[in-house]
Amino acid sequence: LCAQFVLHMSSLSKSTMGMRRSSNRSNNNSYDDDSISKSGKCLTFEEDFDRIVSKANNIFVTMPAKAAGTTMKGFTKQCVGFYDRSNKNTNFMHGNTEDRIENFVQRVDHPKLVSSHLYKDIPIVDLMNENFVQRVDHPKLVSSHLYKDIPIVDLIQNASRDSLIIYIYREEQERMLSGMREVVQMSVCTNNVYPDIQAASRENGQCIIDEMTIVEKVLKERKAEVKFGNSRIMTCNFYNSIEKNFPNMVFVHYKQTDVMQKVFAKYHCPELLERLPIHKNASGMKKTNVFVKREADGEIMGFSQWIDAKRGMFEWTFQLNSENGGEKCQAKTRQLEDELRDCNDGLIQVTRHTSF
């Protein structure tokens, strides 16, 4: 009997210790739930994200350049419209002028200034008041590019608890290379946007550009889409704001925007469901063939081949992640990147335990 009693107590003790270990895991960052990591909780589109969207009063979709932003703004325009400043009688659903309010979140660039797609300055008080009083029914969905951390930090600190903030993420090297293609292929070779950047020749759907022109005018000057990446937005200030404010926020991999459109359309514009997905400015839509004339020997090679040959050296050579100095907290971004990649649906929700 004594032997049986000792054996019983030993078994009970092991069981209790196991329960304690389980309890301890639930009270620190080693969660029993495999879907929870340091950055947050992996979600599914079909259940989790659908539920979150259905409960959100307002949805703010944000992203750096070249992370499906033009696509999401095109979808948003068709889903809920955009706000037209030039017509006081119009609403968010209808407007058809060039003077539209685009990249709305980005406009909080300074406490007293709002930058309208980088080119116009509008007093923030005037813009916000005008937006607020035009109609009772404000758009439930807003999509906006970001160009630095201040606007998203301001949104994280001030959005209501029933607002949903979404950040569309694309790994920075791939995003930057896509930005280079956008500037050279579209802005220079197709649309001739920049007078100071000229192609060596442009004919029969082919464009040849000097290698040093790309180096001096696109990379060293961090032209447009090359510049507006994650390193300017996902700063230490960005991560600290998330940890201190616990926003209702989800990170989404940029390749999942087609699925995200379907969830948004289900609740905000079901008439679009049969027309989805909506794509704008996608790489497959760009027709101009671009070639690079090499500086060393004058040889002509394909622009994509030139990029692939040098892809590992661009960021370090031209210090593309060091702009404006200060702490960049890249370790936190890489942690999020790894954990987002491990989530089956490419979705991570910020939780109370989120710690970058």
Side-chain angles (χ1 to χ4, degrees):
L1 288 173
C2 289
Q4 290 178 348
F5 177 76
V6 170
L7 183 62
H8 172 72
M9 292 302 295
S10 175
S11 175
L12 182 61
S13 176
K14 290 179 180 178
S15 175
T16 304
M17 288 174 63
M19 289 171 60
R20 286 174 181 167
R21 290 192 188 103
S22 177
S23 176
N24 287 339
R25 282 198 299 269
S26 67
N27 288 325
N28 55 37
N29 286 331
S30 299
Y31 301 102
D32 292 327
D33 187 346
D34 291 336
S35 69
I36 298 180
S37 63
K38 284 186 176 181
S39 299
K41 178 180 175 62
C42 287
L43 303 179
T44 63
F45 273 106
E46 188 172 347
E47 296 181 4
D48 303 322
F49 191 72
D50 186 285
R51 184 185 67 255
I52 292 170
V53 169
S54 71
K55 294 180 178 180
N57 188 45
N58 298 94
I59 301 173
F60 297 91
V61 184
T62 64
M63 72 294 293
K66 305 311 299 176
T70 303
T71 283
M72 284 309 301
K73 289 194 294 185
F75 164 79
T76 300
K77 175 183 173 181
Q78 294 191 42
C79 184
V80 298
F82 54 70
Y83 181 40
D84 175 12
R85 294 185 68 250
S86 67
N87 185 350
K88 300 298 183 181
N89 297 318
T90 194
N91 61 22
F92 287 97
M93 300 295 292
H94 305 285
N96 192 28
T97 75
E98 293 301 317
D99 192 24
R100 65 185 182 271
I101 295 297
E102 186 183 78
N103 289 346
F104 192 80
V105 175
Q106 164 59 26
R107 292 167 207 294
V108 189
D109 192 69
H110 183 277
K112 299 298 182 184
L113 252 201
V114 173
S115 178
S116 174
H117 209 271
L118 301 183
Y119 303 119
K120 300 176 183 177
D121 291 329
I122 306 170
I124 183 68
V125 174
D126 292 349
L127 176 61
M128 292 305 182
N129 286 347
E130 183 179 328
N131 171 32
F132 191 80
V133 303
Q134 283 300 303
R135 287 186 64 87
V136 173
D137 53 329
H138 287 231
K140 299 297 185 182
L141 179 63
V142 174
S143 293
S144 177
H145 276 110
L146 297 170
Y147 303 123
K148 57 176 63 176
D149 62 347
I150 295 174
I152 185 68
V153 168
D154 184 76
L155 181 60
I156 289 169
Q157 291 176 345
N158 293 287
S160 62
R161 293 195 67 173
D162 57 1
S163 292
L164 172 62
I165 302 171
I166 292 173
Y167 186 87
I168 301 177
Y169 181 78
R170 184 177 188 179
E171 191 272 330
E172 181 57 24
Q173 184 184 75
E174 292 301 320
R175 189 217 63 79
M176 184 274 298
L177 296 178
S178 180
M180 285 180 57
R181 293 186 182 97
E182 178 72 19
V183 172
V184 173
Q185 186 172 15
M186 296 304 296
S187 297
V188 176
C189 285
T190 302
N191 299 321
N192 198 23
V193 171
Y194 304 111
D196 60 328
I197 309 179
Q198 294 297 317
S201 68
R202 189 188 293 109
E203 58 184 25
N204 300 323
Q206 295 187 343
C207 176
I208 300 175
I209 187 167
D210 292 333
E211 186 173 34
M212 285 306 295
T213 298
I214 299 175
V215 169
E216 295 292 336
K217 294 296 184 178
V218 178
L219 292 169
K220 286 187 177 181
E221 293 186 9
R222 296 180 172 91
K223 189 70 76 175
E225 286 86 354
V226 174
K227 178 178 184 177
F228 301 123
N230 293 305
S231 60
R232 288 172 58 91
I233 302 165
M234 303 173 79
T235 60
C236 296
N237 192 28
F238 169 81
Y239 289 112
N240 290 339
S241 181
I242 291 174
E243 292 184 13
K244 290 178 180 179
N245 291 279
F246 181 36
N248 184 20
M249 184 171 184
V250 175
F251 291 91
V252 181
H253 192 277
Y254 87 104
K255 288 187 176 180
Q256 297 292 70
T257 51
D258 286 0
V259 188
M260 187 164 62
Q261 285 183 22
K262 292 180 181 178
V263 180
F264 290 157
K266 176 180 176 181
Y267 292 103
H268 298 289
C269 47
E271 69 279 4
L272 285 185
L273 283 169
E274 294 184 358
R275 295 162 49 195
L276 299 180
I278 292 169
H279 290 160
K280 299 285 185 181
N281 200 31
S283 58
M285 299 177 178
K286 298 165 186 178
K287 304 298 183 183
T288 305
N289 294 315
V290 181
F291 298 88
V292 176
K293 183 177 181 181
R294 296 186 60 233
E295 177 71 13
D297 54 19
E299 290 294 318
I300 305 296
M301 66 185 298
F303 182 47
S304 293
Q305 287 72 31
W306 182 81
I307 286 179
D308 289 340
K310 298 177 180 290
R311 63 185 296 126
M313 297 296 289
F314 288 117
E315 291 165 282
W316 176 73
T317 302
F318 300 103
Q319 302 290 286
L320 297 179
N321 294 322
S322 301
E323 187 185 17
N324 298 330
E327 293 182 286
K328 294 300 179 184
C329 288
Q330 286 196 79
K332 299 176 186 292
T333 299
R334 288 169 179 167
Q335 170 191 307
L336 172 65
E337 186 176 286
D338 290 342
E339 293 171 359
L340 188 62
R341 189 183 297 123
D342 289 339
C343 292
N344 291 335
D345 282 10
L347 293 167
I348 285 184
Q349 182 184 28
V350 170
T351 70
R352 292 185 185 279
H353 303 284
T354 292
S355 176
F356 294 103

